[in-house]
Structures are given as structure tokens and as C-alpha cells.
Amino acid sequence: MVGDRRRSSLFDFLLFSASLLCLCLAPIPASAHRRKLRFGVDGEFKILQVADMHFANGATTRCLDVLPSQKAHCSDVNTTVFMSRVIAAEKPDLIVFTGDNIFGFDVKDAVKSLNAAFAPAIASKIPWVAILGNHDQESTLTRQELMNHIVKLPNTLSQVNPPEAAHYIDGFGNYNLQIHGAADSSLQNKSVLNLYLLDSGDYSSVPYMEGYDWVKTSQQFWFDRTSKRLQREYNAKPNPQQGMAPGLAYFHIPLPEFWSFDSKNATKGVRQEGTSSASTNSGFFTTMVARGDVKSVFVGHDHVNDFCGKLKGLNLCYGGGFGYHAYGKAGWERRARVVVADLNKKRSGKWGDVKSIRTWKRLDDQHLSVIDAQLLWSNSANVSVVL
Ligand SMILES: *[C@@H]1O[C@H](CO)[C@@H](O)[C@H](O)[C@H]1NC(C)=O
Ligand SMILES: *[C@@H]1O[C@H](CO)[C@@H](O)[C@H](O)[C@H]1NC(C)=O
Ligand SMILES: *[C@@H]1O[C@H](CO)[C@@H](O)[C@H](O)[C@H]1NC(C)=O
Ligand SMILES: *[C@@H]1O[C@H](CO)[C@@H](O)[C@H](O)[C@H]1NC(C)=O
């Protein structure tokens, strides 16, 4: 009997080990599976930014600020058609919606409007993410409810908040995305480009500080911790890398530092209105410059500004207004910003770390004109980049 018991406990042990092994090898259930983002075999990763769709109820919602001749046949459907066209033309690896996805004041049902607003991205099967602006919550859902709905939509990598920071972080829609090196390269398991998405809020609720909201201390703390953790992973074995992987930050409301530029000293693009930042400076610009990994910030909010300017090594870029139910400028086309990161090719012929970050814009005209192509960052003084 003793022998039997021993045999059966050995059997139990083997069974236990086998089931552990199975747990490790079992495919992650589809619902929990987050598609890994990585650079393509062409050594590129392309991001399409869609700023300020201001989507409302679809075909019955009229366009703002279009030419008199365009008024009669223009609705939210034009926003949808523009998105489908620009996705087809650019074939991005990721689509980022930087808030005011819907214009709450005119929305009857936030769920319907959100679903319709994101429909072309969902139909494309391309991974996409969204954060909130200051108008998304003005109809039937709160900011938390909006993010709870968004994270359940197909093909999205959006998160309500990072699990490790959910108990202290302000806002809804703060998260990090890691873009891994090319498949079949030594960096295939490392994040070589880090995206930070942040909720820049809506309106201040602090007495004596009226106006738009800002990126709070708790969010900056999370950013700083996350950036440091990502660097530790980047520098760790196997294949330890030097320094930091470059980062990009996306949120809705511009930082006060966007005021530093006009049409003359922006690197590309135009200023046609003021910067509607918070009335107070919460220091996020300083936090990013001090940390050093973020190379460019991308915001929306001010629809007829579409410039990039460089301050203390950090690029500050507007997306330019995308949606037709958003205020704009008649005759000045709705637009979208594209960002491409390119990898270094090593002597072995394999792809390495990120070499450069470029951007341009697409206009909603007949040929989806490309304008304002520019190099935002490169990791060597002598990189010959073809724009
Ligand atoms: C909106 O779409 C309609 C129908 O396709 C088109 O005739 C019109 O020119 C578009 N308006 C704008 C401003 O692009
Ligand atoms: C990356 O991870 C996969 C799966 O764990 C492993 O098979 C592969 O060898 C790793 N590649 C590198 C370059 O570390
Ligand atoms: C750009 O020009 C404006 C107006 O002349 C000036 O106030 C601002 O400091 C300049 N910005 C930079 C970054 O040089
Ligand atoms: C810079 O790049 C050019 C063109 O690729 C090359 O001819 C030149 O030797 C490079 N200079 C340095 C210092 O590496």
C-alpha cells in the first residue's frame, strides 16, 4: 500500500507538473489576447493620428465650416469616408484617436456614436486605440463609462488604466503601448518604440483655476515610473541595449509650451488660432524633457493649428482637425497626421533599433495630398532619411 501511495503521489506530481506546463503553453484565450505590436519586415512602423472627429449622429449631423457650395451634401458621413480613404492610402500599423471622438452636446446615444465614429478603423482590422478629449463625455456616458465601452470594441488595444496604477492615477485612458523590434531580429522581444497615451481631462474642477484640464501629478508619476521600467527592460539581458528606446506621447489638450510657436518658427505647418491649453502649467513638458525618452508629443483640440515645433529637443505637434462636425476653416481641408518610425539595418542585414521618426499630413482633397513631410528625430547625426 505504501508503494502504491508513493506511486500515486508521484503520479499526482507528474500530473501537476504536466498541467503547469499546459498552463504555460496553452494559447491565451482570444478575449484576453492583446495583439503584439511590432515593426514590419520593411523595418517600419506607421501610426495614423485622427484628431477631433466630433462625430455626432451620422447622416443627419451637418458639417461646420465648409464652403457654401459644400454645405448641402456634407455630414458625419464625410468624416467616415475620409477615414476609410486615408486608412486605405496609408495602411498604418496602428490608428490613434486623440479625443473629441464624439461631440457630446449633439449626441443622442454615446454608444451608437462611438461605434459609428470608430467603424472604419474597426472594419480595417488594424489595431487602434483611443483616448478622450473634453467633449466626449457630454452626452449619455461619463468618461469612465466611455473608456469601459471603448476597450470592449473589436481590435482595440485601448485600456481604461494600467493595472499597476489604477488605484492612484487620475483620469480614464492612461496606458503604454510597446512596439517590438522586427520579427526574426535580435530585438524581436524588446520594445524599441514606446507610446504613452494619457487622459488630459476636460475642464478644471479646482477653484481659482478655471479653464481646461491638465495632465496631473499622478499621471506624470506613472509616466516617469513606466519610462524607467521600460528602460530597465531595454537595457536588460538578453540582447541588452544602450540608453533608452524613443517614445511618443499622445493626448488631447495641448501643453502651454505649444504657445512657443507661430507659423514662422514652427518647423512645419501653421498656427491659425491660439493654444487652448490649461490656464496653469502642470509641468508635464518638464517631466518629459527631464526623462528624455519622448521625442514628440501629438495633440488635437485646436483644429486649425497643424504645426510641429521643437523646444528643448522635444517636438510638439498638432494633428490638425479631422472631423466635419468640428469647427474648422472653410476651404482649408480636414487632415490627419501620419508618423513613421524606421529601424536601423545592421551589417548582418537584420533590423536593429529605431533610426528615425518622420511625419507628414494627409489632406481630405481629391488625391489625399501629402504635405509637410519632416524628420522629427534621428538617433545619429548623419542619417540620410528619404522623406
Ligand atoms: C461630402 O460627401 C459628399 C458625398 O460624397 C460630397 O459630394 C461632398 O463633396 C463632401 N463634402 C466635402 C466637404 O468633402
Ligand atoms: C523571443 O522569444 C521567443 C519566444 O519566447 C523565443 O523563441 C525567441 O528565441 C526569442 N528571440 C530572441 C531574439 O530573444
Ligand atoms: C517664435 O516666435 C515668437 C514670436 O516672435 C516668439 O515669441 C517665440 O519665442 C519664438 N519661439 C521659438 C521657439 O523660438
Ligand atoms: C554621412 O552619410 C553620407 C551619405 O550616406 C556618407 O557619404 C558620409 O561618409 C557620412 N559621414 C559620416 C561622418 O559618417
Side-chain angles (χ1 to χ4, degrees):
M1 292 316 276
V2 172
D4 266 351
R5 196 183 299 144
R6 196 177 295 141
R7 218 173 10 249
S8 87
S9 63
L10 182 67
F11 178 73
D12 281 351
F13 173 75
L14 287 176
L15 197 67
F16 178 62
S17 312
S19 56
L20 267 188
L21 196 64
C22 287
L23 272 181
C24 300
L25 297 180
I28 301 160
S31 58
H33 188 80
R34 292 210 158 268
R35 222 193 303 184
K36 220 175 219 171
L37 296 173
R38 68 166 66 256
F39 278 75
V41 289
D42 57 354
E44 276 192 13
F45 191 86
K46 187 190 276 185
I47 303 166
L48 172 67
Q49 179 191 1
V50 175
D52 301 85
M53 279 189 286
H54 279 230
F55 208 91
N57 306 307
T60 57
T61 297
R62 311 309 304 168
C63 299
L64 302 182
D65 302 321
V66 291
L67 298 170
S69 60
Q70 297 173 318
K71 268 248 137 83
H73 303 286
C74 192
S75 71
D76 277 347
V77 176
N78 290 65
T79 303
T80 301
V81 170
F82 177 30
M83 202 192 303
S84 302
R85 291 174 71 217
V86 75
I87 290 172
E90 290 286 1
K91 301 182 181 62
D93 299 293
L94 177 72
I95 305 166
V96 179
F97 294 95
T98 51
D100 285 2
N101 309 298
I102 59 172
F103 185 67
F105 275 124
D106 293 337
V107 163
K108 292 195 196 112
D109 176 344
V111 166
K112 272 193 193 151
S113 292
L114 280 177
N115 294 355
F118 298 132
I122 292 171
S124 74
K125 305 240 166 52
I126 293 167
W128 62 275
V129 290
I131 45 172
L132 303 178
N134 52 300
H135 286 301
D136 293 271
Q137 78 291 340
E138 288 159 343
S139 64
T140 55
L141 295 182
T142 64
R143 297 177 77 78
Q144 184 168 15
E145 289 165 342
L146 288 163
M147 283 311 300
N148 285 344
H149 177 69
I150 289 171
V151 299
K152 286 189 226 118
L153 292 173
N155 311 324
T156 192
L157 298 172
S158 305
Q159 291 171 44
V160 179
N161 271 326
E164 77 281 4
H167 61 291
Y168 70 75
I169 203 162
D170 282 282
F172 301 98
N174 301 286
Y175 47 101
N176 152 250
L177 294 177
Q178 303 178 23
I179 322 288
H180 287 233
D184 195 30
S185 79
S186 61
L187 297 180
Q188 69 180 91
N189 298 331
K190 280 212 192 273
S191 180
V192 297
L193 178 68
N194 298 309
L195 268 48
Y196 301 95
L197 294 108
L198 294 124
D199 180 8
S200 55
D202 49 16
Y203 302 94
S204 167
S205 55
V206 178
Y208 310 117
M209 284 188 179
E210 276 157 26
Y212 290 110
D213 239 329
W214 54 84
V215 176
K216 309 283 159 61
T217 310
S218 64
Q219 296 167 287
Q220 298 183 44
F221 177 72
W222 166 78
F223 158 78
D224 193 66
R225 284 184 77 151
T226 304
S227 167
K228 285 172 179 160
R229 172 175 56 80
L230 292 167
Q231 183 176 5
R232 283 196 299 276
E233 291 168 11
Y234 194 60
N235 299 156
K237 289 180 189 169
N239 305 307
Q241 299 298 298
Q242 301 280 314
M244 298 180 245
L248 306 172
Y250 285 88
F251 45 94
H252 181 74
I253 298 176
L255 301 167
E257 283 79 4
F258 274 72
W259 275 113
S260 310
F261 306 100
D262 56 27
S263 296
K264 289 201 194 77
N265 57 18
T267 45
K268 295 266 181 178
V270 294
R271 173 189 288 284
Q272 303 179 108
E273 64 177 316
T275 289
S276 297
S277 51
S279 61
T280 184
N281 192 328
S282 77
F284 190 34
F285 177 84
T286 307
T287 299
M288 283 187 282
V289 172
R291 182 63 202 135
D293 62 334
V294 172
K295 306 305 175 194
S296 190
V297 165
F298 301 96
V299 300
H301 195 54
D302 299 328
H303 309 171
V304 297
N305 291 339
D306 73 344
F307 63 79
C308 285
K310 198 169 194 173
L311 190 65
K312 304 195 192 299
L314 181 55
N315 292 283
L316 302 177
C317 296
Y318 277 109
F322 188 98
Y324 280 93
H325 188 53
Y327 77 81
K329 193 175 163 189
W332 194 72
E333 294 85 356
R334 265 49 174 194
R335 58 202 61 211
R337 182 174 291 284
V338 178
V339 171
V340 175
D342 306 271
L343 297 178
N344 274 308
K345 191 162 231 171
K346 299 202 287 193
R347 238 175 280 159
S348 61
K350 301 252 182 180
W351 293 114
D353 58 355
V354 175
K355 175 178 77 171
S356 60
I357 298 168
R358 298 173 285 148
T359 186
W360 59 82
K361 282 164 294 186
R362 282 277 192 170
L363 306 186
D364 189 18
D365 58 16
Q366 197 189 342
H367 302 290
L368 291 168
S369 303
V370 173
I371 63 161
D372 292 345
Q374 69 181 109
L375 176 66
L376 292 175
W377 176 80
S378 82
N379 73 353
S380 98
N382 187 31
V383 75
S384 48
V385 175
V386 183
L387 287 174

